[in-house]
Amino acid sequence: MSIETMDRILASQAFFADFPAEFVELLAGCARNQHFKAGEYLIREGDPADRFFLVRQGKVALEITAPARAPVIVTTLGEGEIVGVSWLIPPYRAEFDARAVEPVRAIGIDAKCLRGKCEADHHLGYEMMKRFLPVMVKRLHATRLQILDVYGQP
């Protein structure tokens, strides 16, 4: 029986497919396993974006809250998806709440650690941007659809 190391776990994830091995090792140095109970928040809107997560198991709802309104779920994320993209963009503040809908196993990545490594190695930074930019566009599109649904004409 072999022990699963963080670099092997990360390398096996579709999000990091074709990620150079030396970058996986750098990323693994900033990563740790985390667990969340149903109803627990991974991220709160407005908090420092000091980490992001790769979901290994479970479901996470991305929510927008407004005063005197129930939270609006923008999208629900599952296995292999990324929770938290604000770590890449100053002022590094979370834009959504991320709540575990069911028990969640995830890999948490320390964003400050990774930002430092991206600054030191711009090739790593570019690889991260190539992976995260499509996620950002997808989330923007999901938010747009929710706004149209919530505020659209009956």
Side-chain angles (χ1 to χ4, degrees), residues 41-43 59-65 71-77 82-85 95-101 135 138-140 142-143 146:
Y41 285 89
L42 288 72
I43 297 172
K59 300 242 181 271
V60 177
L62 290 188
E63 303 173 335
I64 297 173
T65 55
V72 175
I73 296 175
V74 173
T75 190
T76 302
L77 306 172
I82 294 291
V83 176
V85 296
E95 295 293 328
F96 297 98
D97 285 336
R99 181 181 47 82
V101 176
V135 173
K138 184 178 176 183
R139 303 279 161 77
L140 181 60
T143 304
Q146 278 298 333

Side-chain angles (χ1 to χ4, degrees), residues 11 22 27 70 79 109 131 154:
E22 65 271 17
L27 184 63
E79 185 177 327
I109 311 287
R131 283 165 170 70

Side-chain angles (χ1 to χ4, degrees), residues 74-151:
V74 173
T75 190
T76 302
L77 306 172
E79 185 177 327
E81 293 189 278
I82 294 291
V83 176
V85 296
S86 298
W87 71 275
L88 274 170
I89 305 157
Y92 311 116
R93 293 272 175 209
E95 295 293 328
F96 297 98
D97 285 336
R99 181 181 47 82
V101 176
E102 59 190 42
V104 170
R105 288 179 51 224
I107 297 171
I109 311 287
D110 180 315
K112 186 175 181 182
C113 171
L114 187 55
R115 280 193 301 265
K117 291 179 180 190
C118 289
E119 281 295 323
D121 185 336
H122 291 172
H123 294 289
L124 170 62
Y126 179 65
E127 285 297 322
M128 293 303 292
M129 289 298 263
K130 285 192 323 188
R131 283 165 170 70
F132 274 85
L133 193 53
V135 173
M136 291 174 175
V137 170
K138 184 178 176 183
R139 303 279 161 77
L140 181 60
H141 183 69
T143 304
R144 180 180 179 275
L145 291 176
Q146 278 298 333
I147 289 169
L148 290 174
D149 187 48
V150 170
Y151 295 105

Side-chain angles (χ1 to χ4, degrees), residues 17-68:
D18 302 323
F19 210 54
E22 65 271 17
F23 292 164
V24 172
E25 287 179 32
L26 291 172
L27 184 63
C30 299
R32 66 186 177 107
N33 283 307
Q34 293 193 253
H35 299 86
F36 298 90
K37 297 174 185 167
E40 196 173 353
Y41 285 89
L42 288 72
I43 297 172
R44 295 303 304 247
E45 180 182 353
D47 282 355
D50 56 3
R51 59 195 165 145
F52 67 93
F53 303 91
L54 175 66
V55 178
R56 294 187 67 198
Q57 185 177 39
K59 300 242 181 271
V60 177
L62 290 188
E63 303 173 335
I64 297 173
T65 55

